[in-house]
Amino acid sequence: MQPTEQFNQGLLQYLSTSPTPFHAVANMQRELAAQGFSLLNEAESWSLQAGGKYMVTRNGSALIAFVMPSQEQALQQGLRLVGAHTDSPCLKVKPQPEMCRQGYFQLGVEVYGGVLLNPWFDRDLSLAGRVSYRTTTGQLKSCLLDLRKPVAVIPSLAIHLDREVNQNRSINPQRDIPPILWQQAKLNAQDWRAQLLTLVQQQDGDAERVLDYELSFYDTQAAALVGWNQEFIASARLDNLLSCYVGLQALLQAPAPGAILVCTDHEEVGSASCCGAEGPFLQDVLARMWPEQELRLRIIQGSLLISADNAHGIHPNYADKHDANHGPLLNQGPVIKINANQRYATNSETSAVLRRLAELEQVPVQAFVVRTDMACGSTIGPITATKLGVPTVDVGVPTFAMHSIRELAGSDDAWYLYRMLSRFMQECPRFI
């Protein structure tokens, strides 16, 4: 098996087994532990040793992993940070979701992030997330749940009942998207928490009552290589678990002192949380690595953050949605993302570093600028740069159908990005 193929098989496995940020972090945590990274507890005192490999999680949905440099190494070489996010747009189950209409049991859902809703219809859906419960002895516990099998569907309305659907289809998220789970004779909706309790008890027989949960629906179709020559990766959550996986593998391949992986949550809804890029997670970890403020600021100013988040590939059916000179192609390399209004944090010097990394690895690289007459999205790059003052560059793998239930990327591009980030984790090109 070629290195690219082997890498992609690992990526497909990670995508398919990480239906929620909680599972994504748990999978990264297991792989880091297997490679000798020690888990730190934020509620305890830390004793960090130069050369030590550490990881810390927050809320179970965000993770920071790093190799501790000595003070001299940090001042001379700076930190080499790779940032990504663990969350993706989805449908989340409401706290009191029970609905029984026309004899069908449904769950009310809330739209998380900028979901492309049309592709969610007629898919085989399952449920996953975190459940918090009380044990028979009165203790509070949480566990991860993943049903894995198809348990729900959102059927489309037949075209015979909506003749204009192909010309003018609008979706009311309150009315049109509650998934159907089962059919029942009684009109009274069943207690959803009681249903969950049965599932939790299969994992922990001591569970007595489900108190709350964070559950999301997801498509059960596994990630796959597709295309005539298998030149594409099709999967849910490519944005942005692809970057999380690439960053993780780069760190494991090159665990050099000063290498840091930062995977935060809630980017799709603004990052404003204790475990999001707008929150203090990264600042807190850096402050515990170097409590003395002036020293920490000196180190940060000699550092670089690569914010890795997917980019918009130019779609052959909608080429007019791109600037003619900035239409990234799939399988033609990672994309440097630039915006004059600071929706991306890239500047000429940070971009030059990335281009130099591409030269060293003989990897193609592209550039993206949004059409001047269109609004531009953003990433954790500008947020983290604002919080830390760290020089930052935004880069990502070109993607089709971003925020759909199934996205598409090039099968070469994740490997290209991995090679660049592995080189970066070892040694960052510097200006003189």
Side-chain angles (χ1 to χ4, degrees):
M1 187 179 294
Q2 295 298 315
T4 306
E5 295 176 293
Q6 186 173 357
F7 182 86
N8 282 335
Q9 289 304 314
L11 172 59
L12 296 177
Q13 176 70 13
Y14 178 72
L15 291 166
S16 296
T17 58
S18 302
T20 74
F22 304 114
H23 293 83
V25 167
N27 286 332
M28 286 191 285
Q29 188 175 332
R30 278 191 289 271
E31 196 160 350
L32 286 162
Q35 297 298 319
F37 281 75
S38 301
L39 180 63
L40 299 170
N41 187 333
E42 286 197 279
E44 297 176 353
S45 178
W46 293 1
S47 178
L48 304 177
Q49 305 297 320
K53 298 188 291 187
Y54 304 100
M55 58 178 164
V56 57
T57 66
R58 182 174 285 190
N59 186 49
S61 63
L63 175 144
I64 296 175
F66 61 95
V67 182
M68 185 69 186
S70 67
Q71 179 175 314
E72 181 180 3
Q73 288 172 323
L75 287 170
Q76 289 182 351
Q77 303 173 11
L79 306 176
R80 299 171 303 285
L81 301 101
V82 172
H85 64 88
T86 60
D87 62 318
S88 303
C90 62
L91 303 181
K92 292 198 171 187
V93 181
K94 291 181 176 180
Q96 297 173 214
E98 297 92 343
M99 303 170 63
C100 188
R101 300 187 294 186
Q102 308 303 318
Y104 297 96
F105 182 82
Q106 299 173 271
L107 291 180
V109 291
E110 190 175 11
V111 175
Y112 176 85
V115 178
L116 193 61
L117 286 173
N118 277 309
W120 279 80
F121 287 82
D122 308 316
R123 306 292 297 191
D124 299 341
L125 303 178
S126 191
L127 270 172
R130 182 170 67 182
V131 180
S132 300
Y133 58 95
R134 186 190 70 211
T135 68
T136 55
T137 58
Q139 294 179 310
L140 297 180
K141 285 187 178 181
S142 292
C143 70
L144 297 189
L145 194 67
D146 183 2
L147 303 189
R148 297 180 184 172
K149 62 183 180 181
V151 297
V153 66
I154 309 171
S156 293
L157 183 64
I159 192 170
H160 313 77
L161 305 178
D162 186 2
R163 293 290 185 181
E164 303 300 318
V165 65
N166 289 327
Q167 286 73 44
N168 183 27
R169 184 185 189 184
S170 62
I171 299 172
N172 183 311
Q174 174 69 20
R175 180 194 65 204
D176 299 338
I177 64 172
I180 296 173
L181 277 76
W182 63 74
Q183 194 171 15
Q184 60 186 42
K186 296 181 180 179
L187 295 179
N188 295 327
Q190 299 182 33
D191 183 353
W192 174 239
R193 280 177 169 78
Q195 298 293 324
L196 281 181
L197 179 60
T198 301
L199 298 172
V200 173
Q201 286 175 335
Q202 294 173 5
Q203 297 184 199
D204 183 357
D206 197 32
E208 185 175 59
R209 183 188 176 194
V210 169
L211 299 174
D212 229 322
Y213 53 81
E214 295 170 79
L215 294 174
S216 305
F217 283 99
Y218 71 93
D219 185 7
T220 57
Q221 185 175 4
L225 294 175
V226 302
W228 192 267
N229 300 304
Q230 295 198 318
E231 58 262 73
F232 308 116
I233 295 174
S235 176
R237 302 175 297 280
L238 287 176
D239 177 19
N240 188 31
L241 292 188
L242 181 149
S243 299
C244 291
Y245 182 80
V246 171
L248 172 67
Q249 297 307 313
L251 176 63
L252 294 176
Q253 169 65 24
I260 302 180
L261 175 66
V262 184
C263 296
T264 50
D265 195 2
H266 299 135
E267 188 273 347
E268 299 293 356
V269 292
S271 294
S273 69
C274 69
C275 50
E278 181 73 30
F281 188 25
L282 178 56
Q283 296 94 304
D284 289 346
V285 171
L286 293 176
R288 297 182 77 165
M289 294 170 73
W290 294 284
E292 203 278 302
Q293 185 179 27
E294 182 178 346
L295 172 63
R296 186 169 67 253
L297 293 177
R298 289 171 61 194
I299 292 171
I300 289 172
Q301 285 309 304
S303 304
L304 179 69
L305 166 68
I306 295 181
S307 167
D309 200 351
N310 297 33
H312 295 291
I314 184 168
H315 195 304
N317 297 344
Y318 306 95
D320 60 338
K321 295 296 184 180
H322 279 75
D323 181 282
N325 292 337
H326 301 90
L329 296 171
L330 273 60
N331 288 315
Q332 295 300 308
V335 180
I336 300 172
K337 300 192 283 187
I338 302 162
N339 182 256
N341 296 303
Q342 293 300 296
R343 299 295 290 169
Y344 304 128
T346 307
N347 61 41
S348 59
E349 290 193 339
T350 60
S351 174
V353 171
L354 206 68
R355 291 183 183 278
R356 179 56 181 153
L357 288 168
E359 287 180 345
L360 292 170
E361 286 297 314
Q362 298 183 326
V363 165
V365 70
Q366 307 178 77
F368 172 76
V369 177
V370 73
R371 281 179 58 112
T372 308
D373 57 357
M374 293 179 65
C376 183
S378 192
T379 69
I380 65 167
I383 295 172
T384 309
T386 300
K387 289 285 184 180
L388 288 186
V390 63
T392 301
V393 57
D394 273 292
V395 65
V397 165
T399 307
F400 290 155
M402 194 179 293
H403 290 195
S404 174
I405 196 170
R406 196 162 179 86
E407 301 165 321
L408 195 74
S411 57
D412 289 334
D413 287 326
W415 174 250
Y416 289 146
L417 182 60
Y418 162 74
R419 288 172 53 188
M420 291 173 61
L421 295 186
S422 296
R423 169 78 69 152
F424 171 68
M425 289 286 196
Q426 296 177 57
E427 183 179 5
C428 179
R430 302 174 70 87
F431 281 88
I432 59 174

